[in-house]
Amino acid sequence: MTLDVSVPEPPDLSNRGAPSDFEWDEETLGGEDFHREEFEDLLQEGAWEEGFNEWAQYTDLDERQVRAVDDLGLFQAFDFYRDPTEGRYRFEAPTVPDDWRERDAAGALDPETVSLIDDELRDLGRAVHEVLEDYLEGTEEPADDWDAEAYGQRDE
């Protein structure tokens, strides 16, 4: 069942710190480039919409739950970046915050739904990740050392 919801705005990747699972390397400390600006451009150019629409065709979430996810700001909390220590790009999917009961104005969530949403957000991240791979492979002149072969699937 395809969702009948508007595609939310792509996440704003500017002004973010290091990803939560990133290990600082003493040799490059402070000089890491996560290439978020380039990813944000690709998301704005259609990668987000394409990945979201693909995900929307198969998600187990209903429209009310997707609106609750949007109200919680979880679509904006996605992070896409290049891991400079491993030479590949990754994503971080957000999870439903612990205070969801207080923030769920529509009453669309319950404990079982929260677990489902966390799983579905990871699936959305993977869908957008795959679209970004396609966009990067289609780049005739990749920026810097960007090479589609350098980007692998994120280990979960």
Side-chain angles (χ1 to χ4, degrees):
M1 177 179 85
T2 301
L3 289 174
D4 185 25
V5 295
S6 300
V7 176
E9 288 295 314
D12 178 357
L13 302 180
S14 61
N15 299 318
R16 296 199 183 200
S20 63
D21 63 351
F22 179 72
E23 296 286 330
W24 290 103
D25 184 339
E26 288 187 25
E27 292 179 22
T28 61
L29 189 58
E32 291 81 5
D33 183 0
F34 298 109
H35 292 274
R36 285 186 174 123
E37 187 174 301
E38 291 91 343
F39 283 115
E40 187 170 11
D41 289 345
L42 292 173
L43 293 171
Q44 291 287 338
E45 290 172 11
W48 176 258
E49 182 175 0
E50 190 175 328
F52 186 90
N53 286 333
E54 181 179 323
W55 170 80
Q57 292 177 16
Y58 303 103
T59 185
D60 290 328
L61 300 181
D62 62 28
E63 286 86 359
R64 186 174 171 204
Q65 293 162 337
V66 170
R67 281 191 283 281
V69 168
D70 196 22
D71 290 346
L72 290 171
L74 298 178
F75 294 124
Q76 282 297 310
F78 271 94
D79 191 9
F80 297 89
Y81 62 95
R82 180 177 184 275
D83 185 332
T85 60
E86 296 184 12
R88 50 187 195 152
Y89 83 95
R90 297 177 171 234
F91 71 91
E92 283 188 8
T95 57
V96 176
D98 292 337
D99 66 347
W100 62 268
R101 285 179 177 88
E102 294 83 35
R103 297 175 56 191
D104 179 25
L109 306 179
D110 58 53
E112 185 176 311
T113 304
V114 167
S115 177
L116 173 65
I117 288 171
D118 287 344
D119 290 342
E120 289 295 327
L121 289 173
R122 281 190 298 276
D123 287 346
L124 173 58
R126 280 190 282 277
V128 174
H129 180 272
E130 289 174 9
V131 172
L132 285 168
E133 279 184 329
D134 292 344
Y135 276 52
L136 288 169
E137 287 176 9
T139 304
E140 290 181 25
E141 294 182 34
D144 300 315
D145 61 342
W146 286 45
D147 180 350
E149 292 177 7
Y151 302 106
Q153 191 72 349
R154 179 181 179 183
D155 299 325
E156 299 256 0

